[in-house]
Amino acid sequence: MEKTAYIVTAMLVALLLYSCANIGRPEGGPRDMDPPIFMGADPKPNALNVKKNKVELVFDEIVTLKDQQTKVVVSPVQKENPVIRAGGRKITVEFRDTMKPGTTYVVDFSNSIQDNNEGNPLEDFSYAFSTGDTIDTLAISGIVLHAHTLEPQQGVVVGVHSCLDDTAFTNVQLERIARTNSLGQFTLRNLRAGSYRVYALNDLDRNYRFSRNEDMAFMKEVIVPESHRATTMDTIFTQRNIVDTVVACEHTIFTPNDLLLNMFNEGYRAQYLKKNERPEDKKMLVTFAAFADTLPELRIIRPEKHASDWCRIERTERFDSIVYWITDSALIKCDSIITEMRYLKTDTNENLTMVTDTVPFILKNTYKKRMEQEAKKKEREEKEMQKQMERERKQLEKERKKEAKRRAKEERERRKHGLPPIDSTMVDSAGVVREAADTVVIDSTKYKKEAPRLGFGIGMSSTIDVDARARFSSTEPLDSVLQRGFHLYRFEEKDSVWNEIECDSVRLDHDYDPLNYGFDHEWVPGGQYRLVVDSLTVKGCYGLWNETLEQKFTVKSLEEYANLYLTITNAADTAFVELLDGSEKVVKTRQVVNGTAEILNIVPGNYYLRLINDTNGNGLWDTGNFGLGQLPEEAFYFPKVLKLKKNWDLEQSWNLFETPVDKQKPDAIKKNKPERKKVWETEEERNRKKKQGMNGDDEEDEMEDFGNKFYSGDKYSDFNRNNRR
């Protein structure tokens, strides 16, 4: 009996240990769908005259911290980050800095606190206390979007300065901070009454001050936080975001709660000479770290003797990369070229100043060494050619002898039967048939290497768009272009002939790029063309000529395209529209004229629209400048995908202010996707979805819907008035 009791006891202990070692819900039990519940804190929330530097927060279950480094922020900004730990049902915050008197401290956890088992997050949780007799209670909220792409800016710092001087943002740490959530939304809590400047900052160096290479946003308006009591209809949702109950509640409304911060990067880069090299004897390459407005001044010091027009210049549009094509043969043969260069450089005060440097261009593989290498290569090629010729001669002799023997045998057979010879040259004067073959002579000209030709080609495929440009590319700058050497033919189906038509003048695509040429032509839709370039039509700067080129191609018919006609409301007079593909690459750009824009000959597919209010009329989106108080140019997105079909015209109206700015960009092309909330399903709901899927009626995961569906038209103060719970 005792033995049996011992065995039962041992089994119960083992079962208890097993259950303790496997934390989780019992099989078949209800799933934990609720976030942790805050039970209390020491000191209490909003406590006054707090002296201790350690805080303990208590919850109803075991909790953990997720993404603590990126989600948890403490205000005011601490010189030394507090130590924040989760252990059991508690979270402790230990401040390392000396506590400031009469100051409200806030620890904003966002949604980083979650239960240990299921990972249910506690949303928008923050804790505050004061070291003085009062606690600050005001709050402001809003959203941060990228000014050009309207992408929600996730996890960036939003902060305020009570000092209204703009220099505070660059010289002093932000006074109060928060971080944006996955939708780009933010709330700055426990602000003191007063006036503030509001900023957003992608704080790369974590010093809570603006550096010119960081993304930032600012508002020209001074913000004054306020609060008032109001009765609103509140909606209680189920865990699956389904409406449960609607009740009338009295709340404190904190304003402004609709701030919009458009984040941008000034594009600032310190200017300096990044690279100078001579990759080959005919090229000198110069690269700068930032854009410029003019070429640097370059003067050759050594060798002293050189032609005044010693180079041809290839560069980028903004002068940050320059190639000097050396055309002076004396300089080409010189292994070391020493130059004096005058250019703009950023000094220690971030000002551009003109400097003069001695800049060498050293050829790693010296000219003499390269000539020796080329001579050895030529010698190897000559020997290989002789070997090839000898191999061909022996092969031909072998074949000739074999053929001669066959013919000699045939002639002997004919002579034996008294028949006349087929080839009298095979029989000598005595009537004897010859056996030997004639000596073989090899044509050596076919083994000779062809004279070098200019690398010049036609850059067109066999099928082109109706608005395509005829393109040509060269491997070196050109010295001359003979226009009459270009010929354009169109195939006339009626007569089945190629008729030559007038060819437009071939010109550089850009004056800063001497390698790419082309011409525009009004192609006949569906037409067949042939483009011919005669040999000796273009000459490179090193004396090489092109060989004959020919390219046949067909122009697409108009039935293969779609056309889009836009009527746009509230666009600026200088606005332009960009047609974007699924990766947000600009496909076509059109100016808005009198509130309309036409985008023609579009390849069928799914597209998106972006409009830029082009303030300065330069045809580009321009960023802002904090120092000048200049905001970036406004951008708007059409909120839906445009499905354009072949041989189809679409007329579309677009009111820029009809959709809230945070709702404009379609989710399909958003790069910064919001966090998906967990949606717990019952077995009945899963079976229902499964049945719907079998019937071809797929149901998308439900996501929290932020914001109203109406927009007043004030983009900067009314993006989303009802998006706060």
Side-chain angles (χ1 to χ4, degrees):
M1 190 71 180
E2 292 181 359
K3 183 177 181 182
T4 303
Y6 174 79
I7 294 173
V8 172
T9 303
M11 291 177 64
L12 289 173
V13 171
L15 182 61
L16 179 61
L17 291 174
Y18 176 80
S19 63
C20 291
N22 291 272
I23 299 173
R25 63 185 180 90
E27 191 63 33
R31 184 186 292 272
D32 179 10
M33 299 188 297
D34 298 320
I37 298 175
F38 175 61
M39 304 300 291
D42 181 23
K44 294 181 179 180
N46 298 324
L48 304 177
N49 299 310
V50 174
K51 304 302 180 184
K52 60 170 62 178
N53 66 344
K54 185 176 181 179
V55 173
E56 285 189 349
L57 310 175
V58 182
F59 299 86
D60 68 330
E61 57 182 318
I62 298 174
V63 293
T64 60
L65 286 170
K66 182 181 179 183
D67 301 330
Q68 174 183 335
Q69 296 298 321
T70 57
K71 290 185 176 181
V72 181
V73 293
V74 178
S75 286
V77 173
Q78 305 290 289
K79 293 180 180 179
E80 190 172 0
N81 290 331
V83 178
I84 304 175
R85 298 189 184 95
R89 297 191 299 119
K90 291 183 179 181
I91 291 177
T92 60
V93 181
E94 186 175 352
F95 291 86
R96 295 182 175 182
D97 287 355
T98 302
M99 307 297 283
K100 299 178 181 179
T103 302
T104 298
Y105 282 79
V106 183
V107 184
D108 190 338
F109 290 92
S110 183
N111 64 347
S112 64
I113 300 174
Q114 37 182 248
D115 62 38
N116 187 56
N117 287 348
E118 300 291 354
N120 297 304
L122 178 60
E123 299 284 348
D124 300 325
F125 180 75
S126 67
Y127 166 82
F129 64 88
S130 174
T131 58
D133 297 331
T134 60
I135 188 166
D136 304 324
T137 59
L138 296 175
I140 59 175
S141 56
I143 194 170
V144 183
L145 301 177
H146 190 276
H148 187 209
T149 64
L150 299 192
E151 287 284 339
Q153 299 300 280
Q154 303 171 336
V156 299
V157 173
V158 180
V160 295
H161 274 300
S162 57
C163 174
L164 303 184
D165 191 334
D166 288 339
T167 58
F169 190 31
T170 57
N171 298 329
V172 184
Q173 287 186 331
L174 292 165
E175 296 173 14
R176 293 276 170 182
I177 61 171
R179 283 194 185 273
T180 57
N181 62 16
S182 63
L183 290 160
Q185 299 169 329
F186 68 90
T187 297
L188 272 162
R189 297 179 173 87
N190 296 90
L191 294 175
R192 183 174 297 174
S195 299
Y196 295 94
R197 295 278 189 188
V198 183
Y199 305 96
L201 179 64
N202 187 14
D203 193 20
L204 300 176
D205 51 14
R206 295 179 178 271
N207 66 353
Y208 301 101
R209 293 192 294 267
F210 171 55
S211 300
R212 291 187 65 186
N213 64 322
E214 294 174 327
D215 296 348
M216 61 84 67
F218 70 97
M219 298 184 68
K220 290 186 175 182
E221 299 85 352
V222 174
I223 302 302
V224 180
E226 295 178 346
S227 66
H228 62 273
R229 298 291 290 177
T231 300
T232 61
M233 302 305 293
D234 270 13
T235 304
I236 300 174
F237 292 89
T238 67
Q239 196 67 27
R240 293 193 67 254
N241 211 26
I242 298 173
V243 175
D244 185 350
T245 311
V246 179
V247 295
C249 295
E250 190 172 278
H251 295 282
T252 300
I253 304 297
F254 295 98
T255 58
N257 60 2
D258 50 11
L259 301 178
L260 174 63
L261 291 165
N262 284 317
M263 183 163 269
F264 63 92
N265 190 295
E266 291 184 344
Y268 170 79
R269 291 181 291 178
Q271 180 66 294
Y272 59 91
L273 179 59
K274 190 174 181 180
K275 182 189 294 185
N276 58 286
E277 61 179 345
R278 192 175 172 194
E280 54 185 86
D281 53 6
K282 296 177 181 178
K283 283 184 183 180
M284 298 192 321
L285 176 64
V286 174
T287 305
F288 289 95
F291 298 138
D293 296 326
T294 58
L295 284 168
E297 299 175 17
L298 190 68
R299 183 175 68 87
I300 296 180
I301 300 175
R302 292 196 303 272
E304 295 181 0
K305 293 183 179 180
H306 58 272
S308 57
D309 56 344
W310 60 272
C311 72
R312 300 283 296 277
I313 295 177
E314 173 193 356
R315 63 174 176 85
T316 54
E317 184 177 6
R318 300 291 299 275
F319 300 92
D320 57 324
S321 181
I322 306 165
V323 178
Y324 296 89
W325 292 80
I326 305 172
T327 55
D328 186 337
S329 58
L331 288 178
I332 292 174
K333 296 176 183 179
C334 184
D335 299 333
S336 176
I337 299 176
I338 309 300
T339 67
E340 180 185 84
M341 185 181 295
R342 281 176 51 82
Y343 61 95
L344 289 172
K345 183 178 181 180
T346 304
D347 61 19
T348 54
N349 295 320
E350 295 189 350
N351 296 318
L352 284 174
T353 57
M354 187 66 72
V355 298
T356 301
D357 283 342
T358 299
V359 181
F361 294 90
I362 311 299
L363 190 62
K364 293 181 180 179
N365 194 3
T366 65
Y367 184 81
K368 180 180 179 182
K369 186 176 180 180
R370 192 170 69 82
M371 290 299 102
E372 291 175 351
Q373 290 174 345
E374 289 186 1
K376 289 180 180 179
K377 181 181 177 182
K378 186 176 181 181
E379 184 180 353
R380 288 196 302 270
E381 290 175 348
E382 184 70 25
K383 288 181 179 180
E384 182 60 30
M385 184 188 73
Q386 294 296 334
K387 289 180 181 179
Q388 289 182 4
M389 290 175 61
E390 182 62 20
R391 283 195 294 268
E392 182 181 1
R393 187 187 65 77
K394 289 181 179 179
Q395 181 64 27
L396 289 176
E397 282 186 351
K398 182 178 178 181
E399 293 175 357
R400 184 72 61 85
K401 286 179 180 179
K402 184 177 179 180
E403 176 64 16
K405 287 181 179 180
R406 186 192 64 77
R407 290 165 58 196
K409 181 179 179 181
E410 184 178 358
E411 292 296 340
R412 283 194 295 270
E413 288 294 323
R414 294 181 64 82
R415 182 181 179 190
K416 182 177 179 181
H417 293 86
L419 297 174
I422 297 175
D423 186 355
S424 59
T425 60
M426 292 289 295
V427 183
D428 62 13
S429 58
V432 179
V433 178
R434 297 189 180 95
E435 298 285 347
D438 297 335
T439 303
V440 176
V441 179
I442 301 298
D443 181 12
S444 61
T445 57
K446 65 181 181 180
Y447 287 98
K448 289 185 178 179
K449 194 174 181 180
E450 291 186 4
R453 292 283 189 173
L454 174 67
F456 186 82
I458 300 175
M460 301 176 70
S461 61
S462 58
T463 304
I464 67 168
D465 288 313
V466 292
D467 53 1
R469 177 176 171 84
R471 297 187 180 279
F472 308 90
S473 61
S474 175
T475 54
E476 64 187 52
L478 301 182
D479 263 359
S480 63
V481 178
L482 188 64
Q483 294 290 341
R484 66 172 180 268
F486 294 87
H487 306 278
L488 186 62
Y489 301 86
R490 187 172 68 231
F491 184 72
E492 301 295 342
E493 292 187 5
K494 182 179 179 181
D495 302 322
S496 297
V497 295
W498 289 95
N499 288 333
E500 185 169 4
I501 59 177
E502 183 179 356
C503 184
D504 304 74
S505 296
V506 177
R507 303 180 184 278
L508 284 170
D509 289 346
H510 305 284
D511 58 1
Y512 53 79
D513 178 7
L515 304 182
N516 291 290
Y517 289 73
F519 65 84
D520 293 310
H521 186 81
E522 191 173 340
W523 310 108
V524 175
Q528 298 180 54
Y529 291 85
R530 183 161 60 96
L531 181 59
V532 176
V533 183
D534 295 337
S535 62
L536 307 180
T537 293
V538 294
K539 180 185 178 183
C541 63
Y542 299 111
L544 299 179
W545 295 85
N546 71 293
E547 59 185 356
T548 302
L549 301 172
E550 181 174 345
Q551 175 70 50
K552 291 182 180 180
F553 54 91
T554 302
V555 181
K556 293 180 181 179
S557 64
L558 294 180
E559 288 74 20
E560 297 183 61
Y561 295 103
N563 298 315
L564 179 60
Y565 301 91
L566 298 171
T567 302
I568 305 171
T569 307
N570 296 316
D573 294 336
T574 53
F576 62 85
V577 174
E578 295 174 322
L579 186 71
L580 311 175
D581 64 13
S583 60
E584 276 196 275
K585 179 182 177 181
V586 178
V587 178
K588 291 177 181 286
T589 302
R590 293 293 182 269
Q591 194 72 28
V592 178
V593 180
N594 296 326
T596 63
E598 295 182 355
I599 307 178
L600 307 179
N601 304 322
I602 306 169
V603 177
N606 292 345
Y607 294 94
Y608 303 86
L609 290 174
R610 177 170 60 202
L611 181 140
I612 304 297
N613 273 339
D614 188 17
T615 307
N616 58 10
N618 66 350
L620 301 170
W621 176 83
D622 289 296
T623 187
N625 187 297
F626 176 68
L628 300 177
Q630 178 180 314
L631 293 170
E633 291 179 335
E634 289 183 310
F636 299 85
Y637 276 76
F638 185 70
K640 298 178 182 178
V641 60
L642 297 174
K643 298 182 179 181
L644 302 181
K645 302 175 183 178
K646 186 182 296 187
N647 196 24
W648 193 53
D649 292 347
L650 175 62
E651 295 182 1
Q652 181 66 58
S653 60
W654 182 10
N655 185 341
L656 300 182
F657 295 154
E658 185 176 13
T659 305
V661 67
D662 64 321
K663 300 290 186 184
Q664 289 184 10
K665 187 168 188 176
D667 289 339
I669 56 173
K670 276 186 181 177
K671 308 296 188 299
N672 298 338
K673 305 287 187 183
E675 292 180 356
R676 285 185 175 271
K677 290 191 173 183
K678 288 188 176 181
V679 179
W680 300 117
E681 296 176 337
T682 64
E683 185 175 354
E684 180 183 351
E685 291 169 335
R686 285 196 297 270
N687 291 335
R688 176 174 57 84
K689 279 195 173 184
K690 185 177 180 181
K691 185 177 180 181
Q692 287 175 335
M694 292 174 63
N695 293 333
D697 185 16
D698 294 333
E699 182 179 332
E700 294 183 358
D701 291 338
E702 294 187 44
M703 296 204 40
E704 185 171 356
D705 183 22
F706 288 85
N708 57 2
K709 296 182 180 178
F710 302 98
Y711 189 49
S712 72
D714 188 348
K715 177 182 176 184
Y716 287 94
S717 64
D718 190 19
F719 78 94
N720 209 350
R721 290 197 176 276
N722 300 317
N723 67 343
R724 299 294 167 195
R725 289 178 285 181

